[in-house]
Each structure stands twice: as C-alpha cells, then as structure tokens.
Amino acid sequence: YINPTSITIITLSIIMGTIMTMSSSNWLMAWIGLELNMLAILPIISKPKTTRASEATIKYFLTQAIASAMMLLSSTTNAWQTGSWDILELKNKFSTTIMTLSLMMKMGAAPIHFWLPEVLQGTTLQTALLITTWQKLAPISLMYMISNNIQPALLMSAGILSMIVGGLGGINQTQLRKTMAYSSINNLGWTIMIMALSPNLAVMNIFIYMIMTTPIFLMMTSTSTKTLQNLTTTWTTSTATTLSIALLMLSTSGLPPFTGFLPKMLALNELITQKLTTLATLAIMTSLVSLLFYLRVTYLIMVLTSP
C-alpha cells in the first residue's frame, strides 16, 4: 500500500518533469526536468518488493544518471564555446554528438539499449508501459529540437543498429515484457533514422507506436499475461482481448493494412526520395526480422489456441 499523498506527488513530478523538459528553451531547465522525472519514477519501479525490482531500479538509475552527466558535459562544453545555453544553439560538433548519445541512452536506443529489457523484466506491466511510452517523450522532444544540428550519418547508423538489435533480440524471447522492450528498441530505430531527414515524421512515428503499445500493455495487465505460455491459456477466458493483442502486435510490426504500416511506408518513401535506396533496403530487411517474432506471438495465439 502506498500513501495517496505520495502517489499524487510522484505522478505530478513525472508529468511536470516531462512537460518542463519539453517546454524549456534552456539546457539547464531541460536537464532539471529530466532529473525530476527520473527521481520520481524510481519509487514506482521499486514498488514490487522483490530483488528483481530493486535491481531494475538501480540499473535504470545508473543509466539515466550517466546519460544526464553526458548531457551536462555536452551543454556545458557548448555554452563554453558559444556562450549560450539555448537548446537551439547547439552548434559545437563534439557537444552535438555527446548530446545525441546521451538522449539515445535515455530512451534506450542501440548501442546503449542494454538496460531497457532488463528494467522492463524487473517491474510490473504498468511501469513497463510508463517506461516505453511516457518516459520517451522528453528525450525525443529534445532530439527533435536539435535535429538540424546532428550529423545525419550518426542518426542513421544508430537507427539501423537499433532496428537490427530490436529485431534479433526479440526473436528468442518468451517473456512478453522483454519482447515489448525489443519491439520498443526496433521502433526507436525507425524514429531515430528518419529524424535525420524529416523530424516531423519521426514524431508521428513515435506517437503511432505509443498509441499501439499502450493497449497491448493494458490488455496484458488486465489478463495478467507475462509470458507466451500465458497467452495460449488466456484465449479460453478472454478471446476478444487475446485477439486484439495479436492484431496490435501485427500492427506494431508494420504489416499492411494495419496502422503501423503507415509511418514505415512514409519513412521508406522519404529515404527513397533522398536517394538513400540502400538504407531503405536495409530497413526493410531488418523489418522482416522483427516481423518474425511478432508473427510468432500471433501464430501462438491464433493457431495453437483455436479449437
């Protein structure tokens, strides 16, 4: 049991922190917002009194703290060089690279993604939902603001790497929270890759991903489904819910005619327009790999459980 007052304070801090970061034009205020948000979510992650939850909390705290330190280093170096703390004035190349890496670390994109599956696996489904959706808003909005100054090669290589890691990592999972973590890394890959060419499209991509992920987690919570094994048994008790999870999984994978196909199609269209056909082909290939584990989940639900 948690005191209602502390719940209110924690919730407000999480919301306030993100809004502060998203609406600030100064690096220090953005950093304070991220810190407030991070400190408020720690008690939520550690709420289940298990060693796994404590471990997840420490992993989350350490990665976020290191990313925050990198963010401070980057903004301080930039302020020292340019004399401005303004977010849009991030002109120094070194600062921009360090800042991009720190933001990628905060949202859990490859190559600094290792904490995300571990943390999700150690917490409840509701907390996992919070980490994969709300917690990504602040870093992505900062990345959107500085997208003009980031070298496109950095974003594109990180994006492709996240797609590959997300696709390959999810294949061998039986735990649904880890599967969703790799799915998150994979979708972040698309977002980061297209951020280099069309930041607005990147924002649309991440919002559509959040809209699809939220009901998956909520339905998994309502049926208390944690593994693929559970999914095969929930069919008998809640058919509509299990079917919805299957269809949402296919949508997240980007399979037409579902909603998830739209941002991917637009992203590929943008890549081809910019004459980046090799990158587009690579993106499609990695998308096929991730489709494999989404299809596996759907197959388990649809085929193995139907009478």
Side-chain angles (χ1 to χ4, degrees):
Y1 173 74
I2 294 188
N3 185 335
T5 319
S6 39
I7 289 181
T8 314
I9 293 171
I10 288 171
T11 312
L12 280 177
S13 301
I14 288 176
I15 296 169
M16 274 280 297
T18 301
I19 291 174
M20 232 167 114
T21 303
M22 289 172 78
S23 57
S24 64
S25 60
N26 182 302
W27 279 120
L28 283 178
M29 287 308 288
W31 176 79
I32 290 168
L34 283 167
E35 289 300 292
L36 175 67
N37 172 284
M38 187 249 302
L39 291 172
I41 202 173
L42 293 178
I44 294 184
I45 301 175
S46 63
K47 187 174 176 270
K49 295 287 174 279
T50 58
T51 45
R52 295 205 68 162
S54 313
E55 193 182 321
T57 313
I58 291 168
K59 282 177 180 168
Y60 186 81
F61 172 72
L62 287 176
T63 45
Q64 298 295 320
I66 293 167
S68 292
M70 284 166 67
M71 201 174 153
L72 271 184
L73 168 72
S74 161
S75 50
T76 313
T77 313
N78 186 66
W80 178 41
Q81 294 279 328
T82 62
S84 166
W85 284 98
D86 199 308
I87 290 181
L88 301 173
E89 292 296 315
L90 196 71
K91 297 283 192 281
N92 187 338
K93 264 219 173 108
F94 169 78
S95 295
T96 315
T97 310
I98 296 288
M99 184 61 76
T100 311
L101 287 172
S102 112
L103 293 174
M104 276 162 30
M105 191 170 181
K106 275 203 173 291
M107 54 182 129
I112 331 168
H113 63 280
F114 301 100
W115 61 274
L116 189 65
E118 298 293 324
V119 170
L120 291 201
Q121 191 52 40
T123 61
T124 61
L125 285 164
Q126 293 100 318
T127 315
L129 167 64
L130 192 63
I131 294 170
T132 48
T133 54
W134 182 262
Q135 293 300 94
K136 295 205 187 324
L137 288 177
I140 282 175
S141 59
L142 284 176
M143 193 179 262
Y144 177 83
M145 285 192 252
I146 62 166
S147 58
N148 287 339
N149 302 326
I150 310 174
Q151 291 130 305
L154 176 65
L155 285 177
M156 285 176 191
S157 32
I160 285 287
L161 188 61
S162 294
M163 285 184 208
I164 295 168
V165 165
L168 294 176
I171 288 177
N172 216 12
Q173 299 298 336
T174 53
Q175 295 286 343
L176 285 175
R177 277 168 296 182
K178 278 197 171 174
T179 308
M180 292 307 290
Y182 283 108
S183 149
S184 172
I185 294 166
N186 180 40
N187 273 284
L188 272 174
W190 282 90
T191 305
I192 291 171
M193 179 186 71
I194 209 62
M195 186 76 81
L197 303 174
S198 168
N200 292 343
L201 189 54
V203 171
M204 183 188 112
N205 184 58
I206 202 72
F207 270 111
I208 288 182
Y209 163 72
M210 286 175 188
I211 289 166
M212 292 182 303
T213 305
T214 309
I216 294 181
F217 271 116
L218 292 177
M219 284 189 278
M220 273 161 42
T221 310
S222 69
T223 54
S224 61
T225 307
K226 291 195 174 77
T227 60
L228 283 177
Q229 188 79 45
N230 295 151
L231 265 184
T232 52
T233 52
T234 48
W235 177 269
T236 45
T237 50
S238 41
T239 317
T241 310
T242 324
L243 190 62
S244 304
I245 291 178
L247 292 175
L248 279 161
M249 285 277 188
L250 286 181
S251 182
T252 319
S253 72
L255 200 68
F258 299 105
T259 319
F261 172 62
L262 180 72
K264 289 192 175 178
M265 185 186 70
L266 291 172
L268 292 171
N269 179 46
E270 186 68 37
L271 287 173
I272 293 163
T273 311
Q274 302 280 357
K275 304 275 190 295
L276 294 163
T277 326
T278 320
L279 197 64
T281 314
L282 205 54
I284 293 169
M285 292 303 186
T286 55
S287 200
L288 282 175
V289 178
S290 63
L291 181 64
L292 187 64
F293 70 80
Y294 290 114
L295 274 175
R296 207 180 91 203
V297 176
T298 317
Y299 172 80
L300 272 175
I301 296 172
M302 302 284 213
V303 182
L304 297 186
T305 52
S306 52

